[in-house]
Amino acid sequence: MTTTSPSTGPVSPSTSRLRPLPHGALRLTGGYWGEWQERNGSVVLRHCEDWIERIGWVGNFDGAATGVEFTHAGIEFVDSEVYKLLEAMAWELGRTGDPELTERYERLVDRVAAAQDDDGYLHTAFGRPWQRPRWSDLEWGHELYCMGHLIQAAVARLRTAGSGRLVDVAVRVADHLVGVFGDGGREAVCGHPEIEPALVELGRATGDHRYVRLAQLFVDRRGNGLLGPIAFGPEYFQDDLPVRQAGVWRGHAVRAMYLAAGAVDVAVETGDAELVAAVERQWANTVATRTYLTGAMGSHHQDESFGADFELPPDREYGETCAAIASNMVSWRLLLETGEPKYADLIERTLYNAVMVAPREDGRAFFYANTMHQRVEGAVPLEDDLSARALSSLRAPWFEVSCCPTNLARTLASVESVFATMTDDGLQLHQYGDYDVDTTLPGGATAAFRVRSGWPADGTVSIEATAASGTPVALRLRVPSWASEAVLEAPDGARSVDGARSDGTRSVHGEDTVTVVRTFAVGDRVTLTVPVAARLTVPDPRIDAVRGTVAVERGPLVYALESTDLGRDVGDVVVHAGSDPLDDGPDAVRMRVRQRTVHRVGPLPYGDPDVQETEPETVRLVPYATWGNRGPSTMRVFLPVA
């Protein structure tokens, strides 16, 4: 089977304002993302593969294939972790074609395929005589959720190899679902959205609109009370309001954003402007009132959900890694559909901070939830032990529910897909780093450029044409919302770029992007220089938990104070009044702070205490995403002001 639409990355709308680049047209060559993608391919994938084999999650497929009663390992949705790993492997194979990885991939696919039922159904925890019946627990069973991840893994293989056994398996699954849940079938939805974007992407890749239609039915059915009552309430499943009526994301954060991603996909393929507008509205309201400084989303631990507006406590933040990845899934789709750079801005913030805080520097341990204020030193998990959520420890090698490591693996394997887009006559660069672009624009011009940058540590982006364009090309560069006094240098001269005001908001006449229109010759160079000096960020006063504090950012990075650098607990530190960050580079951002000591005479922590502060000292801050890599520590992002 081959695609009927261009071979691209994970998202390939049939029509959109901006178009994804063809697969392989942009290749990372080094730098921050290139190094992490290499580590993902050589370390993270093997780590995930070893763990799911060791604890029996792959073995579930072997057991299901025999038809003989077996004990299912893990929670009911661990099939999805095998599928996300297969997706990551497929993108990595599309990048490297590694023969050894190909062999591992094919062996794993064969084991999955062997467990598929004759009618196309595929799930290892349901449907056999000794198991619960199929579709008997749509609230918590995750059957459709798992099949969604299977389909996305197959789409990755389809777009990188053109065909494969997993593609055939996924098509049989999708055909089965159309028969069960399609027009005239069972009117139901899954407790965990995910099948929706998967079905749309399969429809795009194969040209079979039945899959898009089924996704449309699932989106339109949501919010009509089809799922049973639970203690968290129907909003946990986003089953309290139809998607079109909701004004903000609520309930379980990952579920909410997977659903939003699917809704955008459905809207684009069906020309539903109202549905796109609904998701745009929800994105805007959620970003404005329910998003952490890092881009993370989800402030409740118990139900992994969004809190109320401005309920963003840093010490009780859940900020699940999967929620950050889901946020970027929605933002990328909205960027393609609208062309608005604000979506790329949030992708940048979320990637560098809320996503990349998850992996340990060696790629062999992970955070599941991501606090911004660690009050007690975390324990060091054993390298061979399962962890529940690593909520009170350093990064753990694996979890009882390990959705985040495999989600990170597939994200890193395809991360370059969100770096650039094209239009008929132009190339748009949304994220910066070290990469080469070589493609033909729909209008016929050649767009071939060498992009080099020390981003995020350094704000200079150098772009050199490596082939003649033949006809004029509009090269458009995103100017980050945090930027000010940027400079663009092009063959026809230099000019300043007023990107933002000093308070970090976009100025009335500021520029979201800058564009150079030119018939490029080999060697023509465009340079964007964006100052990345450290700056103070003041939270909205409606966020009660951090009123009276400041945070430090540098470029797209959020910074944190660790007890490792302070030499004591970070809980009693205040910023010296009037201090600004001292910027000696990304690894040497420093702040002037005082230690505060409180003496009380009463039994309760209220009243008028005796507060004393030491003389100011200068302490080092580290990029938030790197905290916890040097052993147990306390940490905080928001620092009280003296």
Side-chain angles (χ1 to χ4, degrees), residues 450-513:
R450 179 183 297 113
V451 181
R452 297 294 183 268
S453 174
W455 211 272
D458 181 82
T460 299
V461 183
S462 176
I463 304 149
E464 181 182 354
T466 55
S469 63
T471 59
V473 168
L475 179 64
R476 192 176 82 182
L477 312 179
R478 179 178 62 92
V479 180
S481 58
W482 46 262
S484 61
E485 300 178 355
V487 175
L488 176 73
E489 298 176 70
D492 58 353
R495 68 183 181 91
S496 62
V497 179
D498 180 17
R501 296 194 298 249
S502 59
D503 63 1
T505 59
R506 181 70 61 190
S507 65
V508 175
H509 302 293
E511 298 171 85
D512 297 305
T513 62

Side-chain angles (χ1 to χ4, degrees), residues 598-610:
V598 179
H599 301 279
R600 297 204 54 79
V601 293
L604 297 175
Y606 305 98
D608 188 15
D610 175 21

Side-chain angles (χ1 to χ4, degrees), residues 28-45 47 88 92 95-96 351-353 355-367 395 405 408-416 419 434 455-456 557 623 625-627 629:
L28 300 175
T29 59
Y32 182 90
W33 291 113
E35 291 171 5
W36 262 111
Q37 192 170 71
E38 289 290 336
R39 189 175 303 132
N40 186 60
S42 62
V43 177
V44 179
L45 297 188
H47 179 87
E92 180 67 11
R95 184 176 73 89
T96 67
L351 270 178
Y352 280 114
N353 300 290
V355 173
M356 293 311 295
V357 67
R360 196 169 66 193
E361 288 180 335
D362 65 359
R364 291 186 171 90
F366 312 87
F367 281 136
R395 296 168 180 87
L408 179 73
R410 69 172 183 154
T411 298
L412 287 172
S414 60
V415 69
E416 76 281 1
F419 276 48
D434 287 1
W455 211 272
L557 301 181
T626 69
W627 89 271
N629 274 293

Side-chain angles (χ1 to χ4, degrees), residues 430-441:
H430 305 290
Q431 307 300 333
Y432 301 121
D434 287 1
Y435 55 88
D436 293 337
V437 180
D438 189 352
T439 191
T440 300
L441 301 180

Side-chain angles (χ1 to χ4, degrees), residues 249 252-262 297 306 323-324 326-327 329-330:
W249 292 332
H252 188 278
V254 180
R255 285 171 163 86
M257 289 182 284
Y258 278 176
L259 176 63
M297 297 190 186
F306 293 97
S327 168
M329 288 170 58
V330 183

Side-chain angles (χ1 to χ4, degrees), residues 158-381:
L158 192 54
R159 292 204 168 125
T160 55
S163 63
R165 189 178 187 189
L166 191 66
V167 178
D168 298 334
V169 169
V171 167
R172 291 180 61 208
V173 165
D175 289 345
H176 174 75
L177 297 181
V178 169
V180 174
F181 296 101
D183 291 300
R186 181 174 178 177
E187 188 173 349
V189 295
C190 183
H192 199 310
E194 157 62 24
I195 189 65
E196 298 85 354
L199 284 168
V200 174
E201 220 56 59
L202 185 63
R204 288 165 170 169
T206 63
D208 193 332
H209 191 75
R210 294 179 305 145
Y211 308 143
V212 177
R213 171 59 180 161
L214 180 55
Q216 182 183 29
L217 289 173
F218 283 141
V219 170
D220 287 342
R221 290 169 183 167
R222 182 74 56 168
N224 291 295
L226 294 177
L227 295 166
I230 61 169
F232 298 138
E235 74 171 22
Y236 176 86
F237 296 130
Q238 296 75 49
D239 203 31
D240 55 327
L241 285 173
V243 176
R244 299 168 196 277
Q245 295 179 19
V248 68
W249 292 332
R250 70 262 176 252
H252 188 278
V254 180
R255 285 171 163 86
M257 289 182 284
Y258 278 176
L259 176 63
V264 175
D265 287 336
V266 166
V268 168
E269 297 307 310
T270 61
D272 192 335
E274 179 189 41
L275 187 55
V276 170
V279 180
E280 288 185 79
R281 177 178 68 247
Q282 294 157 18
W283 184 96
N285 290 338
T286 304
V287 170
T289 64
R290 300 184 177 189
T291 301
Y292 283 94
L293 180 64
T294 58
M297 297 190 186
S299 57
H300 287 187
H301 280 239
Q302 183 181 35
D303 53 355
E304 301 178 314
S305 72
F306 293 97
D309 289 353
F310 303 106
E311 184 187 352
L312 297 165
D315 54 343
R316 293 298 300 159
E317 174 189 2
Y318 197 64
E320 185 183 341
T321 304
C322 285
I325 291 170
S327 168
N328 280 350
M329 288 170 58
V330 183
S331 293
W332 176 239
R333 287 160 168 80
L334 290 176
L335 174 61
L336 293 174
E337 176 63 11
T338 69
E340 296 185 23
K342 65 182 181 181
Y343 299 114
D345 270 347
L346 186 63
I347 289 173
E348 177 184 65
R349 175 177 295 277
T350 306
L351 270 178
Y352 280 114
N353 300 290
V355 173
M356 293 311 295
V357 67
R360 196 169 66 193
E361 288 180 335
D362 65 359
R364 291 186 171 90
F366 312 87
F367 281 136
Y368 188 106
N370 297 293
T371 185
M372 291 172 66
H373 186 169
Q374 182 75 18
R375 290 185 177 274
V376 296
E377 290 188 353
V380 180

Side-chain angles (χ1 to χ4, degrees), residues 82-100:
V82 178
Y83 300 148
K84 280 183 283 186
L85 175 59
L86 283 170
E87 181 183 348
M89 287 176 157
W91 294 123
E92 180 67 11
L93 285 172
R95 184 176 73 89
T96 67
D98 179 66
E100 192 268 341

